[in-house]
Amino acid sequence: EALAAQGADIAIVVRSSTALAQELADELNSRGGDHFVIQADVSVEADVERMAREVAARWGRVDILVNNAGIIRRADSLDFTEEDWDAVLDTNLKSVFFLCQAFAKAAIAAGRPGKIINIASMLSFQGGIRVPSYTAAKSGLAGVTKLLANEWAARGINVNAIAPGYVETNNTQALRADTVRNADILKRLPAGRGARQEVIAGAAIFPAGPASD
């Protein structure tokens, strides 16, 4: 919504909640622009390739890539399963690299600049508890963002990440419902509360635009 308000046309990629995504696309279209929904699983390479084809067929180019798909699994590390490890790493880290790669290949082949915004986390820098695969993915994402920024800056592609703290989303609902854990978290936050989603959305405007060249 924040990027659309600045004039961007948005391809909304969603794995399952297509009706909700279509409602958002319809709302954005009512305000102007060309916004549409692609149903895809970003952890599946064939879906990533299809996404790229669908966007190319509609617009011919992509200027901004926001890697915001993410899931979380919570359990003590002694009990954590391989299934939960793989699911989070595939969605939160592997998908980001290959989406960045597909975006950059198209931009470099066309000789045009591009902006990539990855959504990291404060757990890119601190361990957290009971989220081993999420912490591993977000720590890896910070490293991959730096690597790609180094490789592609001279080719006109800026790669940055936003690393939020606790934000009021579905991913933090379990924490916020745990009164003891939530109180412990809020004690460490100077504002005494988590962030609202629109604040994080606003942080994406700068790295998406020419001011960040």
Side-chain angles (χ1 to χ4, degrees):
E1 289 179 335
L3 290 168
Q6 297 296 316
D9 294 325
I10 312 293
I12 304 168
V13 179
V14 63
R15 181 169 60 186
S16 54
S17 302
T18 50
L20 185 62
Q22 189 59 54
E23 286 181 19
L24 175 58
D26 292 342
E27 171 63 23
L28 294 178
N29 283 326
S30 72
R31 306 176 198 170
D34 178 26
H35 314 288
F36 73 108
V37 176
I38 300 174
Q39 184 173 13
D41 184 339
V42 295
S43 68
V44 176
E45 189 172 358
D47 276 19
V48 171
E49 293 172 353
R50 176 174 56 80
M51 285 162 48
R53 289 195 302 270
E54 289 189 29
V55 172
R58 185 155 182 143
W59 292 329
R61 60 181 288 172
V62 181
D63 302 299
I64 305 161
L65 170 65
V66 180
N67 284 306
N68 190 40
I71 60 173
I72 197 165
R73 297 288 185 269
R74 299 181 187 278
D76 289 341
S77 294
L78 290 174
D79 303 319
F80 212 78
T81 66
E82 182 180 9
E83 179 183 5
D84 283 346
W85 180 271
D86 290 346
V88 174
L89 267 291
D90 285 352
T91 300
N92 294 19
L93 183 59
K94 186 181 83 170
S95 74
V96 174
F97 177 80
F98 286 105
L99 282 160
C100 288
Q101 183 187 72
F103 175 90
K105 281 182 177 180
I108 290 169
R112 54 179 170 73
K115 303 286 188 176
I116 296 175
I117 303 167
N118 296 326
I119 305 301
S121 168
M122 68 176 181
L123 296 191
S124 300
F125 309 101
Q126 58 171 260
I129 61 170
R130 303 189 76 248
V131 285
S133 57
Y134 186 86
T135 298
K138 293 301 186 179
S139 298
L141 182 54
V144 167
T145 299
K146 295 169 189 175
L147 168 101
L148 297 180
N150 291 339
E151 285 197 24
W152 295 343
R155 309 188 82 162
I157 299 174
N158 296 129
V159 187
N160 289 287
I162 300 169
Y166 287 97
V167 184
E168 296 174 2
T169 68
N170 291 341
N171 272 359
T172 59
Q173 181 147 3
L175 284 178
R176 288 182 284 120
D178 183 334
T179 55
V180 174
R181 180 90 173 104
N182 190 53
D184 288 341
I185 292 167
L186 294 180
K187 286 177 187 176
R188 305 203 313 267
L189 302 180
R193 56 169 174 76
R196 299 182 310 277
Q197 296 180 57
E198 55 266 30
V199 175
I200 308 303
I205 300 302
F206 171 72
S212 65
D213 287 353

